[in-house]
C-alpha cells in the first residue's frame, strides 16, 4: 500500500520536510512555534529527533570541538539532556501536528524510541546517517507494516550505503524506502 508521502513524489510534487531536529532546545513551546512556522512556510512535514541522553553518551563524554562554549564546562551528555524531549512532550507534539495538518517525522536513535514512535502512529521514520549500518534497528523496522523509511547517507561511504541497500532488497519495505 502506497502512502501519501510516496503519492506526493509520484505526482512530481516536491515534499518539503522542515528539519526541527533539536532546535526546540527541549522546549515544548519552541517546538510548537517551530511547527507553526514550518506550516506557514509551506512545509509538508516536520522532522524531530527521538532519543534519551543516557542512551547516547556517558555523563563524562566531552563535547566535540565545534560544540564547546568557553563560558561553560557542560559535557556532551548535559547538552543532550537539555535537548531531549520526553514521551509526554512528544505525544503533545504529534497531536499538535495533526491539528495543524502537517506530517510528523522523527529520527529514533534506537529501537526503544522507534517502538515509542510507532506506538504513537508515526508512519514515517528517518534513519540518521550515523545509524545507517545499525542493522538491529533496520531489522526491527522491517517487521513493521505500513511505514515509510528515509535513509540519510550524509556521513556514510558507498560500501555502507550498498550494504544497507542489499539488506533492504531482501525485505518487503523496498517500495517504501527513500534515500537522501
Amino acid at each position: 500500500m502506497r502512502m501519501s508521502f510516496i503519492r506526493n513524489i509520484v505526482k512530481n510534487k516536491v515534499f518539503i520536510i522542515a528539519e526541527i531536529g533539536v532546535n526546540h532546545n527541549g522546549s515544548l513551546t519552541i517546538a510548537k512555534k517551530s511547527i507553526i512556522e514550518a506550516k506557514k512556510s509551506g512545509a509538508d512535514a516536520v522532522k524531530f529527533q527521538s532519543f534519551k541522553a543516557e542512551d547516547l553518551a556517558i555523563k563524562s563524554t566531552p563535547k566535540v570541538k565545534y560544540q564547546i562554549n568557553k563560558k561553560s564546562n557542560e559535557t556532551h551528555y548535559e547538552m543532550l539532556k537539555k535537548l531531549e524531549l520526553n514521551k509526554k512532550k512528544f505525544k503533545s507534539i504529534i497531536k499538535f501536528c495533526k491539528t495543524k495538518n502537517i506530517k510528523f517525522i522523527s529520527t529514533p536513535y534506537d529501537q526503544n524510541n522507534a517502538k515509542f514512535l510507532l506506538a504513537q502512529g508515526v508512519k514515517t521514520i528517518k534513519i540518521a546517517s550515523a545509524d545507517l549500518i545499525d542493522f538491529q534497528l533496520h531489522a526491527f523496522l522491517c517487521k513493521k507494516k505500513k511505514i515509510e523509511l528515509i535513509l540519510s547517507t550524509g556521513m556514510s561511504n558507498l560500501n555502507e550505503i550498498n550494504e544497507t541497500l542489499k539488506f533492504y532488497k531482501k525485505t518487503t519495505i523496498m517500495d517504501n524506502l527513500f534515500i537522501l
Side-chain angles (χ1 to χ4, degrees):
M1 176 179 185
R2 297 193 181 259
M3 293 187 254
S4 61
F5 182 68
I6 297 167
R7 281 193 296 269
N8 283 328
I9 292 171
V10 171
K11 290 180 182 178
N12 294 320
K13 178 188 179 290
V14 174
F15 190 86
I16 300 170
I17 302 171
E19 172 68 39
I20 295 175
V22 294
N23 293 309
H24 48 71
N25 295 325
S27 165
L28 185 58
T29 301
I30 294 172
K32 288 181 176 182
K33 285 180 181 178
S34 298
I35 293 164
I36 291 167
E37 292 305 316
K39 183 67 176 177
K40 283 184 193 175
S41 298
D44 299 291
V46 290
K47 206 270 307 163
F48 286 80
Q49 295 176 4
S50 304
F51 61 88
K52 287 191 69 158
E54 293 83 17
D55 298 333
L56 293 181
I58 58 173
K59 291 186 178 186
S60 61
T61 302
K63 286 183 175 178
V64 293
K65 195 171 188 173
Y66 77 89
Q67 296 170 325
I68 296 173
N69 176 345
K70 293 179 182 176
K71 296 178 184 176
S72 170
N73 289 333
E74 177 181 70
T75 65
H76 185 71
Y77 169 83
E78 291 166 334
M79 178 191 70
L80 289 173
K81 196 68 179 163
K82 288 180 184 176
L83 299 173
E84 180 181 287
L85 291 170
N86 63 32
K87 290 179 179 181
K88 184 178 178 183
K89 287 181 180 178
F90 264 119
K91 286 178 182 181
S92 178
I93 290 167
I94 293 166
K95 185 176 180 180
F96 188 74
C97 285
K98 288 178 184 171
T99 67
K100 296 298 176 189
N101 196 29
I102 191 165
K103 187 175 183 110
F104 176 89
I105 300 172
S106 192
T107 297
Y109 284 90
D110 58 40
Q111 281 186 45
N112 287 332
N113 281 288
K115 285 177 190 175
F116 168 74
L117 292 169
L118 295 171
Q120 303 315 305
V122 175
K123 299 293 185 200
T124 304
I125 301 290
K126 182 176 176 281
I127 303 297
S129 59
D131 291 326
L132 191 67
I133 55 173
D134 181 347
F135 291 104
Q136 286 183 313
L137 181 58
H138 295 303
F140 169 76
L141 291 169
C142 282
K143 295 175 188 170
K144 305 303 166 194
K145 304 287 184 216
K146 300 180 183 178
I147 67 166
E148 301 162 329
L149 290 179
I150 302 169
L151 299 179
S152 181
T153 60
M155 290 177 51
S156 309
N157 63 45
L158 286 176
N159 287 336
E160 292 168 335
I161 296 167
N162 286 331
E163 189 178 341
T164 303
L165 289 177
K166 194 182 302 181
F167 172 87
Y168 276 105
K169 284 180 182 175
K170 298 174 188 173
T171 71
T172 59
I173 207 161
M174 274 303 286
D175 286 342
N176 295 331
L177 182 71
F178 302 90
I179 302 168
L180 299 177

